Amino acid sequence: MASAPAQQPTLTVEQARVVLSEVIQAFSVPENAARMEEARESACNDMGKMLQLVLPVATQIQQEVIKAYGFNNEGEGVLKFARLVKMYETQDPEIAAMSIKLKSLLLPPLSTPPIGGGIPAS
């Protein structure tokens, strides 16, 4: 028989700000920054490799912070936290700004193709 699902943590807007701030700060911890840099270098800006190498490291860093707030210590907890943040983004400009900052820590900068480069005109 399956066990009852764990109670999903709920955070107020203020609590979400605090947790999001702590998550962002966790990426600045020298050990975590080094782990992320190593994963990024190994991925060589290849999106497939980013998903294989960088995303798991980023997930682990986030899990270490959010588990103290009742989120489970698996990928599911990070997804639930991300959904909660997404919900509050529209209500709170500070959360929206921190969410953008967190995304910038996780995703590589997108390079745009040179103007006029690429497909030749026929």
Side-chain angles (χ1 to χ4, degrees), residues 32-96:
N32 291 338
R35 289 170 56 204
M36 286 293 289
E37 186 60 31
E38 182 180 327
R40 280 194 188 99
E41 286 176 6
S42 296
C44 299
N45 231 13
D46 175 286
M47 191 51 79
K49 289 183 181 178
M50 292 291 279
L51 292 173
Q52 292 175 335
L53 302 171
V54 178
L55 191 59
V57 173
T59 299
Q60 289 171 355
I61 292 168
Q62 291 179 74
Q63 286 170 341
E64 289 301 310
V65 175
I66 67 173
K67 70 182 180 183
Y69 294 91
F71 293 89
N72 75 23
N73 199 23
E74 297 176 13
E76 183 182 338
V78 172
L79 291 174
K80 286 181 180 178
F81 177 67
R83 279 189 222 116
L84 191 68
V85 168
K86 185 84 173 154
M87 181 182 75
Y88 283 141
E89 280 178 358
T90 58
Q91 301 171 24
D92 187 85
E94 191 176 343
I95 288 179

